[in-house]
Amino acid sequence: MKYCLRKSANDVYLGDSLESDKDGNPLTLQDTISDNRDLAEELENKIRWEKVSKIISGLNVEREKEIIILRYGLNNKKPLTQREVAKRLNISRSYVSRIEKNVLDDIRRRVE
C-alpha cells in the first residue's frame, strides 16, 4: 500500500508560512493560534485524579467502592442519584449519603 504524502490544494498544515516578520522569519499558522489552557494546572489535576482513582480502586469495603462508582459514574457508568443507588443496593438513601460523605472526606484528606 502506497501513501500519498503530497499536499493537495485544500490541505493546510500548522507549519505553513502565512507571511514573514520584519527579519524574514516565517510566521506560521501555529504561531497565530492561541491556547488559553494552563498546562501546569491540567497536569496537577491529572495527577490529583490519578491519586483519587487509586484510592477508590484500593477501597477495602466493596460497598463503599460501589457507591462511589455508581454515584459519580466512574468506569464509564452513568452517574446515579443517592435515591437510585439506595434502591439498587437495597439500602436507605441516608446510608448512601453517610457512606459517600465518609469516603469523600477520606479521599480529600489523602489527596491534599
Side-chain angles (χ1 to χ4, degrees):
M1 182 186 308
K2 244 183 156 178
Y3 294 100
C4 180
L5 296 177
R6 281 183 275 161
K7 183 176 174 181
S8 74
N10 296 328
D11 291 343
V12 177
Y13 295 97
L14 292 175
D16 286 351
S17 178
L18 299 174
E19 58 184 59
S20 297
D21 65 13
K22 65 181 179 183
D23 298 325
N25 299 316
L27 177 64
T28 65
L29 182 59
Q30 183 174 348
D31 295 330
T32 64
I33 297 174
S34 90
D35 185 354
N36 295 330
R37 293 180 299 165
D38 182 344
L39 296 179
E41 185 178 330
E42 283 186 26
L43 180 59
E44 187 177 319
N45 287 338
K46 183 176 180 182
I47 291 168
R48 188 174 288 139
W49 171 246
E50 287 172 359
K51 286 180 184 178
V52 168
S53 184
K54 281 182 184 178
I55 292 168
I56 293 169
S57 295
L59 288 173
N60 293 327
V61 180
E62 278 303 312
R63 179 159 275 175
E64 290 178 351
K65 187 186 302 186
E66 187 173 11
I67 286 171
I68 295 300
I69 289 170
L70 292 172
R71 281 287 291 132
Y72 295 94
L74 306 177
N75 299 339
N76 296 318
K77 296 184 187 303
K78 176 184 163 249
L80 302 177
T81 64
Q82 287 181 346
R83 185 166 276 117
E84 291 169 325
V85 172
K87 186 175 182 179
R88 181 177 286 192
L89 300 179
N90 201 26
I91 58 179
S92 71
R93 191 212 48 82
S94 62
Y95 188 49
V96 170
S97 178
R98 246 178 304 165
I99 290 174
E100 180 182 354
K101 181 188 179 313
N102 290 338
V103 171
L104 293 178
D105 287 346
D106 182 49
I107 290 171
R108 278 187 201 99
R109 278 192 304 276
R110 293 170 65 183
V111 169
E112 291 176 351

